[in-house]
Amino acid sequence: MTASTTQRTTAKSAKSRIAAVGAIAVAGTLLLTGCGDQTKSDDSTKSGSKAAPLADKLPKEIRDKGVIRVGSDIAYAPVEFKDKSGKAVGIDPDLAKAMGKQLGVKFEFQNGTFDTLVTGLKSNRYDLAMSAMTDTKDRQNGVDSDTGKKVGEGVDFVDYFNAGVSIYTPKGKTQSIKTWDDLCGKKIVVQRGTVSHDLAKSQAKKCPSGKKLGIQSFDDDQQAQTRLRSGGADAGSSDFPVAAYAVKTSGGGKNFQLVGDQVEAAPYGIAVSKDQKQLRDAIKAALDAIIKNGEYDKVIAKWGVEAGAVKSATLNGGK
């Protein structure tokens, strides 16, 4: 998401890349309550069993613990969010569950704000970060996209999905907004540290005198949506799957509508520390395995996001 190395995506231009894909085909309720400290997946397979063919690819310490700790901002439906029981659900938890069967471990999702996930990897709080995080060269290299300066060692990515960014408005109140240029003189809500936030800052610099773009940033996307529903802004922006899910579910589909096309299509990646190459390669092998056996396609179809599916796992494919 932002110009920093802890963003979901980094935006360098706002040209349209792909048309908006079909709306999310699942019904659900976005939870607006606070997230707890962690949520565990409920599926595991014992390491070394025939049902976990890739267990031996994991580092021994992780294999012995039987757990992979996953840092995630669990408030980004439908990619990851909490159901009524407090369990982490969505695209990422479902894919992690399928990979866990291949590796013989549990993927334990631990909640954190998005802009702290990479630092959580560096401090060994998490083994992975899986949170609709866009793979970019700046993140790979540990570069702050705003300043162009080196701020860390960077991370490796196992790419598993493709998504762009969308704008949405209150339903029936588009004010002729279709592109980012149309936002000049308006107010937009975004999640802090995301590509939407970065795009908004970039657009604000382009707006002519007297037509300032007002930017309101929040800790999570649900807070931004709440602000837009209350009439405090003219538009919001999120990664397409999230924007489409909000349009589908908020107020039973009566609160928001998508406007214009997606921009900045790019891969989501599972982030791994540079010094954890064995773990990185094990995750890649597990992702390739579930793509091959069809479990990946089942998850993608369940959440109605087939247009973002990949055919194979890729290492550091972001630009």
Side-chain angles (χ1 to χ4, degrees):
M1 288 182 182
T2 69
S4 72
T5 57
T6 52
Q7 62 197 9
R8 280 189 201 269
T9 58
T10 299
K12 296 184 179 179
S13 66
K15 62 181 180 180
S16 177
R17 301 281 182 85
I18 56 177
V21 300
I24 302 302
V26 281
T29 302
L30 287 175
L31 299 180
L32 299 178
T33 57
C35 295
D37 286 337
Q38 74 180 36
T39 301
K40 297 182 180 181
S41 65
D42 62 355
D43 204 333
S44 65
T45 308
K46 291 184 178 180
S47 177
S49 73
K50 292 181 180 179
L54 301 178
D56 290 343
K57 288 187 174 292
L58 285 169
K60 185 178 184 300
E61 61 271 21
I62 290 179
R63 189 166 67 245
D64 289 346
K65 288 189 300 182
V67 172
I68 292 177
R69 301 164 300 164
V70 183
S72 188
D73 176 6
I74 313 175
Y76 210 62
V79 186
E80 53 263 317
F81 62 108
K82 290 195 175 186
D83 65 13
K84 293 180 180 179
S85 70
K87 176 185 174 182
V89 296
I91 298 167
D92 283 356
D94 282 354
L95 290 176
K97 181 177 176 180
M99 288 190 289
K101 292 177 182 178
Q102 296 293 318
L103 295 167
V105 294
K106 291 180 179 179
F107 279 65
E108 181 181 276
F109 278 73
Q110 301 183 0
N111 192 53
T113 55
F114 186 82
D115 56 3
T116 64
L117 297 183
V118 170
T119 55
L121 285 176
K122 294 176 182 177
S123 67
N124 199 36
R125 179 178 179 181
Y126 313 124
D127 301 308
L128 309 173
M130 190 174 185
S131 190
M133 184 177 289
T134 300
D135 174 5
T136 68
K137 289 296 183 185
D138 282 346
R139 276 185 174 150
Q140 294 170 25
N141 297 325
V143 171
D144 185 316
S145 298
D146 275 337
T147 65
K149 294 182 179 179
K150 183 86 169 176
V151 293
E153 65 211 28
V155 295
D156 283 332
F157 286 99
V158 180
D159 298 340
Y160 66 99
F161 189 76
N162 287 302
V165 176
S166 293
I167 299 171
Y168 59 99
T169 68
K171 195 162 189 176
K173 298 179 181 179
T174 68
Q175 301 185 66
S176 299
I177 296 170
K178 293 183 179 180
T179 70
W180 284 85
D181 288 338
D182 297 331
L183 291 167
C184 293
K186 307 288 196 306
K187 296 178 182 178
I188 189 170
V189 292
V190 295
Q191 180 178 350
R192 189 175 298 112
T194 65
V195 67
S196 296
H197 192 187
D198 193 42
L199 280 168
K201 289 187 289 184
S202 177
Q203 183 61 47
K205 296 176 182 178
K206 302 174 186 176
C207 289
S209 178
K211 294 192 70 176
K212 180 181 178 181
L213 170 59
I215 303 170
Q216 301 176 32
S217 60
F218 298 86
D219 285 340
D220 62 55
D221 206 66
Q222 293 171 359
Q223 293 174 4
Q225 291 173 24
T226 299
R227 179 65 171 171
L228 185 58
R229 276 195 301 270
S230 72
D234 303 297
S237 178
S238 305
D239 289 359
F240 171 75
V242 177
Y245 190 82
V247 168
K248 175 79 173 179
T249 61
S250 183
K254 297 178 180 179
N255 288 338
F256 305 131
Q257 69 181 82
L258 290 170
V259 294
D261 294 336
Q262 290 184 62
V263 298
E264 296 298 322
Y268 284 173
I270 302 168
V272 190
S273 292
K274 291 280 190 183
D275 60 356
Q276 294 293 329
K277 296 193 184 306
Q278 185 178 356
L279 175 59
R280 178 201 68 187
D281 292 345
I283 296 300
K284 181 181 184 299
L287 180 57
D288 275 328
I290 66 171
I291 291 172
K292 184 176 180 180
N293 70 16
E295 288 298 312
Y296 175 90
D297 284 342
K298 289 179 182 178
V299 171
I300 297 301
K302 172 184 174 181
W303 294 101
V305 290
E306 293 92 335
V310 298
K311 299 298 183 183
S312 64
T314 303
L315 293 179
N316 297 324
K319 298 179 179 180

